[in-house]
Amino acid sequence: MTKIGTLAALALLAATSVHAAVTSKDWGTGPDGKAVELYTVTDGDLTVTITNFGAHIVSIEAPDRAGKKADVVLGYKDLDGYLAEKKAYLGAVVGRYGNRIAKGVFTLDGKTYQIPTNNNGNALHGGTVGFDRKVWSSKTLADGVELTYVSADGEMGFPGTLTAHVKYTLEGRSLHIEYSATTDKDTVLNLTNHSYFNLGGEGSGDILGEKIMINADRYTPVDAGLIPTGKLPSVKGTPFDFLKPTAIGARIEANDEQLKIAGGYDHNFVLNGGKELHVAAKVEDPKSGRTLTVTTTEPGVQFYSGNFLDGSATGVGGKPYVKHDGFCLETQHFPDSPNHPAFPSTELKPGQVMRSTTIFTFGVAK
Ligand code: BGC
């Protein structure tokens, strides 16, 4: 290429390629006196804020079909909101074990472990003080932020020192979440992000009219305590069949035992797809035109229709969050896997590295 040609090509590249920009600011002090930061990552027309307190996603600003932006995740206006959080886990990374372990008890290598229970006699999202309550160490990247938490051997009853990393990066309209972890003793883990989405914008009302496709032929029904029974029935002919896009609210009041137990959807879906990246779900808000595609390497996704939002949490826009004001798509291994040898294993051994990726891509329907 001639010199002029090269310069023209470079100018074209500069004009067309948009790179993420990352800034950070002091956001206060965590429960243990550690400094908390708020990171802002922007790429093109998507802006995401993330804090190292509990590795929460605080906000995601995405445009609608007219280009109007709204924050499409539920969140609080400041750190105090996150510190006061009781049970919603808005935007947190939950761990060491996301979702439930029956009675908080499991056996590993012949030894029985007890996790403190915090949900109807079961352990939820890692026990009474999970990873969502910790100040993670953080490192700014060119296109995002990397957060690290070292969970001590015996913390919340789990064996082994676990070093967990969560990398949030933006690439155009895709937010990549890469999890990795190592341990010094055999342990179990299940890390996921607990964002509640509302594609109409947080505080804009319920999500029942948003249409969802879940790429799952089977799901894991639960008992009265929301613990999987171990069965993996087909979704065919049930309100759990989301293979074709269906409004979240279309069958949520159906006379179905599983929906009644959970007060709506709060179930793990067994994803079609192997260990490589596969589409877990696609959601479209017919009103705003905003879309969300969730891609993951995980075998399951917890589709939770915000059934337990009870108005006790006031959102960033000043409105209390009530039932069905947001939905979660928590990519994960199945709940209570340590007690279900037939489920994909959640065990990690010294020398192994757990790696998992989930991508949230935001778009606009034609
Ligand atoms: C669980 C729900 C729970 C919610 C908030 C979800 O992952 O499946 O049952 O209410 O988290 O804690």
Side-chain angles (χ1 to χ4, degrees):
M1 205 184 280
T2 63
K3 200 170 164 196
I4 289 179
T6 310
L7 286 176
L10 283 175
L12 189 68
L13 195 69
T16 51
S17 67
V18 187
H19 293 292
V22 188
T23 59
S24 67
K25 67 171 189 186
D26 179 3
W27 218 40
T29 309
D32 45 8
K34 287 195 187 133
V36 174
E37 301 284 315
L38 185 72
Y39 291 88
T40 302
V41 189
T42 309
D43 193 345
D45 48 18
L46 204 70
T47 300
V48 179
T49 62
I50 293 149
T51 177
N52 62 326
F53 175 63
H56 290 81
I57 293 176
V58 172
S59 65
I60 301 179
E61 296 258 334
D64 69 4
R65 61 162 76 81
K68 190 165 170 256
K69 288 190 181 174
D71 180 0
V72 295
V73 289
L74 308 194
Y76 302 110
K77 77 170 192 308
D78 54 21
L79 179 61
D80 284 348
Y82 289 90
L83 292 173
E85 161 78 68
K86 289 282 183 297
K87 50 185 191 302
Y89 300 84
L90 301 187
V93 165
V94 289
R96 182 178 303 200
Y97 198 96
N99 215 287
R100 292 175 177 80
I101 295 180
K103 300 188 175 70
V105 176
F106 64 93
T107 303
L108 186 62
D109 304 330
K111 218 176 140 193
T112 300
Y113 295 93
Q114 173 73 62
I115 313 308
T117 58
N118 56 343
N119 186 263
N120 302 321
N122 299 313
L124 175 65
H125 300 326
T128 42
V129 187
F131 288 11
D132 59 296
R133 300 286 92 200
K134 304 292 181 181
V135 178
W136 296 49
S137 60
S138 50
K139 192 168 90 185
T140 306
L141 307 171
D143 50 358
V145 56
E146 179 170 353
L147 305 171
T148 300
Y149 178 63
V150 181
S151 169
D153 183 11
E155 184 182 304
M156 286 289 112
F158 289 99
T161 311
L162 186 86
T163 303
H165 304 279
V166 176
K167 216 160 97 176
Y168 288 111
T169 55
L170 255 192
E171 218 183 288
R173 290 214 182 153
S174 293
L175 173 63
H176 293 237
I177 314 179
E178 288 163 79
Y179 304 85
S180 61
T182 52
T183 184
D184 63 359
K185 277 187 195 159
D186 290 6
T187 192
V188 295
L189 81 163
N190 196 23
L191 300 179
T192 188
N193 177 275
H194 203 295
S195 285
Y196 291 68
F197 298 95
N198 184 327
L199 297 181
E202 74 77 36
S204 69
D206 69 56
I207 44 75
L208 298 175
E210 299 189 18
K211 285 187 176 167
I212 188 166
M213 183 286 292
I214 305 178
N215 182 21
D217 291 338
R218 292 174 294 143
Y219 77 113
T220 54
V222 290
D223 67 16
L226 300 179
I227 300 292
T229 60
K231 298 199 179 103
L232 303 174
S234 163
V235 296
K236 283 266 145 60
T238 78
F240 292 82
D241 185 349
F242 284 104
L243 287 158
K244 290 207 189 89
T246 308
I248 294 173
R251 299 160 301 180
I252 203 165
E253 301 287 349
N255 186 14
D256 177 277
E257 197 206 343
Q258 285 296 315
L259 290 173
K260 287 194 176 138
I261 287 176
Y265 296 99
D266 190 359
H267 294 80
N268 172 69
F269 285 71
V270 180
L271 294 174
N272 301 330
K275 293 192 172 153
E276 301 304 316
L277 278 170
H278 45 270
V279 170
K282 289 187 180 190
V283 189
E284 180 183 331
D285 174 31
K287 282 196 199 148
S288 66
R290 290 191 191 91
T291 63
L292 164 67
T293 302
V294 180
T295 314
T296 190
T297 55
E298 285 295 309
V301 67
Q302 186 83 9
F303 172 45
Y304 171 52
S305 52
N307 315 328
F308 301 116
L309 293 172
D310 60 4
S312 58
T314 298
V316 57
K319 298 221 179 99
Y321 292 137
V322 297
K323 191 168 182 175
H324 305 322
D325 272 358
F327 64 85
C328 299
L329 287 167
E330 300 153 65
T331 52
Q332 61 182 4
H333 274 55
F334 307 170
D336 200 29
S337 293
N339 293 310
H340 290 275
F343 286 178
S345 174
T346 50
E347 289 178 25
L348 185 70
K349 294 181 188 304
Q352 297 177 335
V353 183
M354 183 288 292
R355 287 185 202 282
S356 167
T357 300
T358 291
I359 305 172
F360 296 134
T361 302
F362 297 88
V364 178
K366 295 261 154 51

